[in-house]
Amino acid sequence: MPENYTADQRISGTFGECWIDGEKWAEVYGLQIKINILKEDVLICGRRNGRGKKVMGWDGTGSVRFTKVNSRILKKQLEALKEGKPLVTEIISKLADPASLGSERIAITGVQFDDITLADWESNKVIQEEKPFTFDDYELIDAIA
């Protein structure tokens, strides 16, 4: 791996892509997927601070940001809600800047959105939505070299 990187090799989010349930969402302009490490304090005698941390699991969260061009997610969410079922989806994130040293693809499954926006608009503004979510599992498909 090179010790010095050129400006062109810096990865730009402009080349990010998002698929939800196998369908590419071209209207997505931002995606964040995080794993929060769940830790518990463990008391340790003989240490000045008297405690350490033990990893007990993880919690997957994130949000997808998009420009509203249709009502597909709203329709799916309302249909699932009427049926008394959660809407469970899969999201795949791809980041592949052609000037960088590779690409990164991550799949998350068991995705459930946290809320349903029925209406949110303002005159003379392009409608943008943010959908926070949780997820159950992940897979690193490709990693940047």
Side-chain angles (χ1 to χ4, degrees):
M1 194 175 284
E3 291 180 23
N4 296 311
Y5 296 100
T6 66
D8 280 350
Q9 292 171 316
R10 274 31 181 208
I11 299 168
S12 170
T14 300
F15 299 97
E17 298 177 4
C18 177
W19 283 265
I20 298 180
D21 287 337
E23 183 179 6
K24 184 177 177 183
W25 281 34
E27 64 269 31
V28 169
Y29 66 87
L31 175 64
Q32 182 182 66
I33 302 170
K34 291 176 105 174
I35 291 178
N36 302 306
I37 307 298
L38 304 176
K39 301 175 194 170
E40 186 173 310
D41 285 343
V42 178
L43 300 177
I44 302 174
C45 293
R47 286 181 61 179
R48 196 168 296 278
N49 71 355
R51 61 186 163 94
K53 301 281 186 187
K54 178 168 177 65
V55 174
M56 300 301 289
W58 61 273
D59 184 32
T61 63
S63 65
V64 60
R65 295 176 300 284
F66 56 93
T67 304
K68 190 171 180 85
V69 296
N70 58 43
S71 300
R72 65 180 156 190
I73 192 68
L74 177 63
K75 288 178 183 178
K76 286 181 180 183
Q77 284 186 292
L78 291 176
E79 191 175 286
L81 187 63
K82 286 269 188 193
E83 294 174 4
K85 301 179 196 173
L87 176 64
V88 181
T89 64
E90 175 186 78
I91 295 178
I92 296 177
S93 169
K94 178 182 177 186
L95 187 55
D97 185 331
S100 72
L101 301 175
S103 67
E104 180 178 272
R105 282 190 308 149
I106 298 169
I108 56 171
T109 55
V111 176
Q112 293 187 51
F113 294 104
D114 297 344
D115 60 24
I116 300 172
T117 302
L118 295 176
D120 185 4
W121 56 268
E122 186 176 334
S123 178
N124 290 323
K125 295 223 177 186
V126 172
I127 298 172
Q128 295 178 325
E129 286 192 48
E130 182 169 359
K131 301 294 292 175
F133 58 79
T134 58
F135 63 94
D136 294 341
D137 204 2
Y138 63 90
E139 178 185 357
L140 181 61
I141 300 169
D142 294 331
I144 294 172

